[in-house]
Amino acid sequence: MASLQDIKRRIGSTKKTRQITSAMQMVSTAKLSQIQRSTTGYHEYAYRLKAVVSHLIEAHVLDNVDASHLPMVAKRPVKKTGLLIVTSDRGLVGSYNANIIKKTNALMKEQNLTPENTVILAIGGNGADFYKKRGFTVALEHRGISDVPTFNEVRKVLKTVISLYEAEAFDSLHLVYNHFINRLQADQRNVQLLPLTREVVEEAKMEEGEDGRDQSFKTSSAYDSEPDTTTVLNVVLPQYIQSLVFEALLDAKTAEHAASSTAMSSATDSADDLISTLGLQYNRARQSQITTEITEITGGMVALE
């Protein structure tokens, strides 16, 4: 049995750990509330932009454009597949990163992807480190995303993603990230981004549940382009892809803060349980020690009589 001093030391150590996890839980909860307040407006903007692109697709605007002047809609033989994965830079977020890795590996298995025909684009250190160790090419690695990301902060990353596709570093692009549902639940999503086709746009809408949104925003199915359709699409389509990625990043960051809050709450509860168990163990050991001391004193008095 551990000595009273050892038990007392473990109780003290566990109480200090509990203070840390409790503080981290409060910080993560505050960050979660902050990002939820800050991103409402952008979600509405992203929805409107996706509605415009969806109507462009419905109006068959993309059907007659010259793909050589609009690389984002050009279908190429898929020699390499790009996977844009969003993870956290740090741990202490429960199964947040493990779920993304699992979802990404399932996609790889489904499409027979290997280190030879796959290019990883990683936002967050966990994903980059995981696939680097397994021999995958990491063409983009971005760490240090702030707790409440801004578009200007990641603008360069988003442009790089599109530039790599246009330079044929990969021939199709999938986005894998955690979608925030509530404080206790997240859903791992896989959305194909490029090449941009009717099927890809419709799949993105279905994945994100856009059909249930307010349908008061309507757009005509007929379009007149000035100066010309290709020039307009070369502006609108990159904004659309950037919007999808940035919105997913905000969603993933929200899920990350929720996961961190939940993990720290569980750690705090576990510390409370351990402190209670150790306290009971300490009291029993102390009682046993007192009983032994009383027995020794009584034995000594009997010996003196």
Side-chain angles (χ1 to χ4, degrees), residues 255-285:
E256 179 185 338
H257 296 322
S260 177
S261 176
T262 301
M264 292 303 98
S265 175
S266 297
T268 301
D269 292 342
S270 296
D272 286 334
D273 292 341
L274 182 56
I275 290 170
S276 177
T277 300
L278 289 173
L280 183 60
Q281 187 178 344
Y282 179 85
N283 291 334
R284 286 176 177 173

Side-chain angles (χ1 to χ4, degrees), residues 58-74:
E58 292 172 4
H60 303 283
V61 172
L62 297 183
D63 296 348
N64 300 318
V65 298
D66 185 356
S68 63
H69 297 291
L70 202 61
M72 297 178 66
V73 303

Side-chain angles (χ1 to χ4, degrees), residues 217-288:
F217 179 68
K218 300 295 183 182
T219 307
S220 171
S221 295
Y223 291 88
D224 293 321
S225 300
E226 179 66 33
D228 60 79
T229 302
T230 301
T231 302
V232 172
L233 290 177
N234 269 319
V235 174
V236 173
L237 297 186
Q239 289 183 0
Y240 170 72
I241 296 298
Q242 291 175 5
S243 172
L244 285 181
V245 176
F246 183 60
E247 187 179 33
L249 179 58
L250 293 175
D251 202 0
K253 266 295 180 181
T254 306
E256 179 185 338
H257 296 322
S260 177
S261 176
T262 301
M264 292 303 98
S265 175
S266 297
T268 301
D269 292 342
S270 296
D272 286 334
D273 292 341
L274 182 56
I275 290 170
S276 177
T277 300
L278 289 173
L280 183 60
Q281 187 178 344
Y282 179 85
N283 291 334
R284 286 176 177 173
R286 179 60 179 157
Q287 184 179 18
S288 176

